[in-house]
Amino acid sequence: RIERFLQLCAEGSMTVAEPSTPANYFHLLRRHVLDGVHRPMIVYTPKSMLRLKDAVSAVEDFTTGKFESVLPDTSVDPSAARTVLLVSGKLYYELDHYRTQHGITDTAIVRLEQLYPIPRRKLESVLAPYGEGVEFRWVQEEPRNQGAWSFMAQNLPELLPRLAGIRRVSRRAMAAPSAGSAKVHAVEQQAVISEAFA
Protein backbone atom coordinates (compact mmCIF):
# COMPACT_ATOMS: atom_id res chain seq x y z
CA ARG A 1 0.00 0.00 0.00
CA ILE A 2 2.38 2.65 -1.30
CA GLU A 3 -0.23 5.38 -0.93
CA ARG A 4 -0.36 5.00 2.86
CA PHE A 5 3.33 5.74 3.25
CA LEU A 6 3.20 8.61 0.76
CA GLN A 7 0.37 10.17 2.78
CA LEU A 8 2.80 10.40 5.69
CA CYS A 9 5.49 12.07 3.61
CA ALA A 10 6.13 15.75 4.25
CA GLU A 11 9.01 17.96 5.35
CA GLY A 12 11.55 15.32 4.30
CA SER A 13 10.16 12.86 6.85
CA MET A 14 11.28 9.69 5.04
CA THR A 15 12.54 8.25 1.77
CA VAL A 16 10.20 6.15 -0.38
CA ALA A 17 11.72 4.33 -3.34
CA GLU A 18 10.87 1.63 -5.86
CA PRO A 19 14.10 0.71 -7.69
CA SER A 20 13.87 -1.27 -10.91
CA THR A 21 17.44 -2.59 -11.22
CA PRO A 22 19.62 -4.57 -8.78
CA ALA A 23 22.46 -2.04 -9.03
CA ASN A 24 20.18 0.90 -8.32
CA TYR A 25 18.79 -0.97 -5.30
CA PHE A 26 22.36 -1.58 -4.10
CA HIS A 27 23.31 2.08 -4.50
CA LEU A 28 20.08 3.15 -2.76
CA LEU A 29 20.97 1.03 0.30
CA ARG A 30 24.56 2.26 0.18
CA ARG A 31 23.46 5.89 0.03
CA HIS A 32 21.08 5.34 2.94
CA VAL A 33 23.89 4.00 5.13
CA LEU A 34 26.47 6.61 4.16
CA ASP A 35 24.19 9.66 3.89
CA GLY A 36 24.52 12.27 6.60
CA VAL A 37 20.71 12.65 6.73
CA HIS A 38 19.23 9.89 8.89
CA ARG A 39 15.56 9.21 8.23
CA PRO A 40 13.38 6.13 7.69
CA MET A 41 13.43 4.54 4.23
CA ILE A 42 10.63 2.51 2.66
CA VAL A 43 11.65 0.36 -0.33
CA TYR A 44 9.19 -1.48 -2.57
CA THR A 45 10.71 -4.50 -4.30
CA PRO A 46 8.29 -7.18 -5.52
CA LYS A 47 9.39 -10.81 -5.30
CA SER A 48 8.61 -11.33 -8.98
CA MET A 49 11.64 -9.20 -9.90
CA LEU A 50 13.91 -11.83 -8.35
CA ARG A 51 12.88 -14.16 -11.18
CA LEU A 52 12.71 -11.51 -13.90
CA LYS A 53 15.50 -12.13 -16.42
CA ASP A 54 15.37 -8.54 -17.70
CA ALA A 55 15.96 -7.08 -14.24
CA VAL A 56 19.73 -7.54 -14.19
CA SER A 57 22.74 -5.27 -13.79
CA ALA A 58 26.32 -5.63 -14.98
CA VAL A 59 29.05 -5.97 -12.36
CA GLU A 60 30.40 -2.53 -13.38
CA ASP A 61 27.05 -0.99 -12.44
CA PHE A 62 27.64 -2.09 -8.85
CA THR A 63 31.29 -1.03 -8.65
CA THR A 64 30.79 2.39 -10.24
CA GLY A 65 28.10 5.04 -10.25
CA LYS A 66 25.53 6.00 -7.64
CA PHE A 67 21.80 5.79 -6.97
CA GLU A 68 19.81 7.29 -9.84
CA SER A 69 16.50 8.72 -8.64
CA VAL A 70 15.26 8.99 -12.23
CA LEU A 71 16.28 6.67 -15.09
CA PRO A 72 15.92 8.21 -18.56
CA ASP A 73 14.88 6.31 -21.68
CA THR A 74 17.90 6.03 -23.96
CA SER A 75 16.17 3.90 -26.60
CA VAL A 76 13.83 6.60 -27.96
CA ASP A 77 14.85 9.79 -29.78
CA PRO A 78 13.32 12.65 -27.70
CA SER A 79 12.57 14.65 -30.86
CA ALA A 80 10.43 11.77 -32.18
CA ALA A 81 8.55 11.14 -28.93
CA ARG A 82 4.88 12.05 -28.79
CA THR A 83 4.20 10.43 -25.40
CA VAL A 84 6.27 10.01 -22.23
CA LEU A 85 5.22 7.37 -19.72
CA LEU A 86 6.28 7.95 -16.13
CA VAL A 87 6.45 4.69 -14.21
CA SER A 88 8.15 3.08 -11.22
CA GLY A 89 9.16 -0.46 -10.38
CA LYS A 90 8.66 -3.68 -12.33
CA LEU A 91 5.87 -2.34 -14.56
CA TYR A 92 8.63 -0.73 -16.65
CA TYR A 93 9.70 -4.13 -17.98
CA GLU A 94 6.19 -5.07 -19.08
CA LEU A 95 5.73 -1.71 -20.81
CA ASP A 96 9.13 -1.98 -22.50
CA HIS A 97 8.37 -5.53 -23.68
CA TYR A 98 5.03 -4.39 -25.16
CA ARG A 99 6.71 -1.42 -26.87
CA THR A 100 9.38 -3.65 -28.43
CA GLN A 101 6.89 -6.34 -29.43
CA HIS A 102 4.69 -3.79 -31.25
CA GLY A 103 7.52 -1.73 -32.77
CA ILE A 104 6.47 1.50 -31.04
CA THR A 105 9.10 4.22 -31.53
CA ASP A 106 7.30 7.40 -30.46
CA THR A 107 6.78 6.60 -26.76
CA ALA A 108 9.47 7.04 -24.11
CA ILE A 109 9.38 5.35 -20.71
CA VAL A 110 10.97 7.29 -17.84
CA ARG A 111 11.47 5.48 -14.54
CA LEU A 112 10.91 7.37 -11.29
CA GLU A 113 13.01 5.30 -8.88
CA GLN A 114 12.50 7.58 -5.86
CA LEU A 115 8.93 8.55 -5.07
CA TYR A 116 9.71 10.79 -2.10
CA PRO A 117 11.33 13.22 -1.86
CA ILE A 118 10.36 13.76 -5.50
CA PRO A 119 13.67 14.37 -7.34
CA ARG A 120 12.49 17.59 -9.01
CA ARG A 121 15.79 18.74 -10.52
CA LYS A 122 16.69 15.32 -11.88
CA LEU A 123 13.20 14.77 -13.30
CA GLU A 124 13.21 18.22 -14.89
CA SER A 125 16.60 17.48 -16.47
CA VAL A 126 15.45 14.10 -17.85
CA LEU A 127 12.23 15.56 -19.29
CA ALA A 128 13.89 18.68 -20.75
CA PRO A 129 14.74 17.15 -24.19
CA TYR A 130 11.08 16.33 -24.89
CA GLY A 131 9.16 18.92 -26.92
CA GLU A 132 6.21 21.05 -25.86
CA GLY A 133 3.57 18.91 -27.59
CA VAL A 134 4.46 15.72 -25.70
CA GLU A 135 1.73 14.06 -23.63
CA PHE A 136 2.76 12.83 -20.19
CA ARG A 137 1.12 9.82 -18.55
CA TRP A 138 1.57 8.30 -15.11
CA VAL A 139 1.22 4.51 -15.43
CA GLN A 140 0.70 2.23 -12.43
CA GLU A 141 -0.65 -1.26 -11.98
CA GLU A 142 -2.40 -0.37 -8.72
CA PRO A 143 -6.06 0.76 -8.81
CA ARG A 144 -6.84 4.44 -9.35
CA ASN A 145 -7.48 5.11 -5.64
CA GLN A 146 -4.28 3.35 -4.56
CA GLY A 147 -0.58 3.42 -5.46
CA ALA A 148 1.42 6.60 -6.01
CA TRP A 149 -1.06 8.34 -8.33
CA SER A 150 -2.90 10.54 -5.82
CA PHE A 151 0.41 11.75 -4.37
CA MET A 152 1.93 12.39 -7.81
CA ALA A 153 -1.22 14.09 -9.11
CA GLN A 154 -1.00 16.56 -6.22
CA ASN A 155 2.72 17.22 -6.32
CA LEU A 156 4.10 16.81 -9.84
CA PRO A 157 2.18 19.73 -11.43
CA GLU A 158 3.32 22.06 -8.61
CA LEU A 159 6.95 21.03 -8.92
CA LEU A 160 7.00 20.88 -12.74
CA PRO A 161 4.33 23.06 -14.41
CA ARG A 162 4.71 21.21 -17.73
CA LEU A 163 3.19 18.16 -16.01
CA ALA A 164 -0.04 20.05 -15.21
CA GLY A 165 -1.97 17.95 -17.72
CA ILE A 166 -0.47 14.60 -16.77
CA ARG A 167 -2.90 11.73 -17.34
CA ARG A 168 -3.32 8.59 -15.23
CA VAL A 169 -3.34 5.06 -16.65
CA SER A 170 -4.28 2.41 -14.08
CA ARG A 171 -6.90 -0.07 -12.99
CA ARG A 172 -10.32 1.21 -11.96
CA ALA A 173 -10.83 2.25 -8.32
CA MET A 174 -11.10 -0.85 -6.13
CA ALA A 175 -11.75 -1.64 -2.47
CA ALA A 176 -8.97 -4.26 -2.38
CA PRO A 177 -5.37 -4.04 -3.67
CA SER A 178 -5.85 -6.99 -6.05
CA ALA A 179 -8.54 -8.60 -8.17
CA GLY A 180 -8.37 -11.87 -6.21
CA SER A 181 -8.10 -13.98 -9.36
CA ALA A 182 -4.96 -14.61 -11.41
CA LYS A 183 -6.96 -14.65 -14.65
CA VAL A 184 -8.72 -11.36 -13.90
CA HIS A 185 -5.40 -9.83 -12.84
CA ALA A 186 -3.78 -10.84 -16.15
CA VAL A 187 -6.64 -9.34 -18.17
CA GLU A 188 -6.58 -6.09 -16.19
CA GLN A 189 -2.80 -5.87 -16.40
CA GLN A 190 -2.87 -6.25 -20.17
CA ALA A 191 -5.57 -3.57 -20.39
CA VAL A 192 -3.41 -1.12 -18.41
CA ILE A 193 -0.38 -1.78 -20.64
CA SER A 194 -2.41 -1.42 -23.85
CA GLU A 195 -4.03 1.81 -22.65
CA ALA A 196 -0.63 3.29 -21.80
CA PHE A 197 0.28 3.20 -25.50
CA ALA A 198 -3.19 3.99 -26.89
Side-chain angles (χ1 to χ4, degrees):
R1 306 301 294 259
I2 299 173
E3 71 279 1
R4 295 186 180 179
F5 284 99
L6 290 175
Q7 285 171 354
L8 301 173
C9 290
E11 303 175 326
S13 56
M14 65 180 86
T15 299
V16 180
E18 193 172 7
S20 61
T21 70
N24 219 25
Y25 184 24
F26 168 75
H27 287 299
L28 172 67
L29 296 176
R30 188 171 174 273
R31 184 190 73 173
H32 183 66
V33 171
L34 300 175
D35 196 2
V37 180
H38 298 288
R39 59 185 169 201
M41 182 170 70
I42 310 299
V43 183
Y44 289 92
T45 53
K47 287 186 289 184
S48 61
M49 283 184 68
L50 293 171
R51 301 181 297 273
L52 192 60
K53 292 180 181 178
D54 291 333
V56 296
S57 298
V59 173
E60 305 82 60
D61 294 336
F62 289 92
T63 57
T64 60
K66 60 178 184 175
F67 174 68
E68 297 293 341
S69 54
V70 181
L71 292 177
D73 191 336
T74 56
S75 64
V76 172
D77 179 7
S79 63
R82 294 189 313 152
T83 308
V84 175
L85 307 179
L86 294 175
V87 66
S88 67
K90 74 178 181 68
L91 185 58
Y92 162 77
Y93 295 102
E94 294 177 60
L95 292 168
D96 186 49
H97 178 71
Y98 183 94
R99 179 176 63 177
T100 303
Q101 194 177 35
H102 290 82
I104 299 170
T105 58
D106 62 353
T107 302
I109 307 172
V110 173
R111 288 178 269 181
L112 194 59
E113 301 278 285
Q114 180 176 293
L115 302 174
Y116 186 85
I118 295 174
R120 182 183 64 81
R121 288 195 185 95
K122 180 70 174 176
L123 186 57
E124 189 173 28
S125 169
V126 168
L127 298 181
Y130 299 100
E132 288 300 315
V134 169
E135 180 186 357
F136 294 98
R137 299 174 185 174
W138 175 266
V139 187
Q140 66 176 32
E141 55 186 339
E142 295 90 355
R144 183 182 73 194
N145 59 325
Q146 298 170 37
W149 166 245
S150 55
F151 182 81
M152 293 302 165
Q154 272 187 327
N155 292 284
L156 284 179
E158 287 185 12
L159 295 174
L160 293 165
R162 71 179 304 197
L163 295 179
I166 191 168
R167 189 181 135 215
R168 170 197 49 83
V169 178
S170 72
R171 286 174 162 76
R172 60 189 167 79
M174 295 167 62
S178 65
S181 161
K183 288 182 180 179
V184 173
H185 171 82
V187 169
E188 290 181 344
Q189 188 79 347
Q190 192 56 48
V192 168
I193 294 167
S194 299
E195 186 185 345
F197 292 95

